[in-house]
Amino acid sequence: ITSESGERRALEAACARLGLSDRETEVARLICAGQSNAEIGRGLGIALRTVENHLRSVYAKVGVNSRTQLVSRLLGLN
């Protein structure tokens, strides 16, 4: 098992525990990978506004207010 695949599994497990949908998990994973909203939209073939809506939902479910807090929470840094 590579470290990268282990980290991805840990991230997906954290998202599942927090009740994120598959698409929200995908958006959260890409946020953790450092992608911008525009990059996520292009990569997933969805509108920027849709990415923003998913991100708002993720923030609410995770209980955070920023990308930095999201990454920290999902990666278990706090």
Side-chain angles (χ1 to χ4, degrees):
I1 297 174
T2 67
S3 175
E4 184 177 315
S5 66
E7 289 173 3
R8 183 172 177 154
R9 277 197 303 275
L11 175 65
E12 289 175 357
C15 290
R17 278 193 310 277
L18 293 163
L20 273 59
S21 70
D22 290 343
R23 184 60 105 181
E24 290 167 347
T25 296
E26 196 168 17
V27 169
R29 181 180 58 77
L30 294 170
I31 293 292
C32 289
Q35 291 193 15
S36 69
N37 290 359
E39 290 170 327
I40 293 169
R42 281 192 301 274
L44 297 179
I46 59 177
L48 177 60
R49 183 63 143 191
T50 303
V51 175
E52 293 167 350
N53 288 336
H54 286 310
L55 192 53
R56 262 192 295 281
S57 179
V58 169
Y59 283 179
K61 289 180 179 181
V62 177
V64 297
N65 297 311
S66 71
R67 290 170 113 76
T68 304
Q69 290 176 339
L70 176 64
V71 171
S72 178
R73 181 78 43 91
L74 291 179
L75 298 181
L77 302 175
N78 83 4

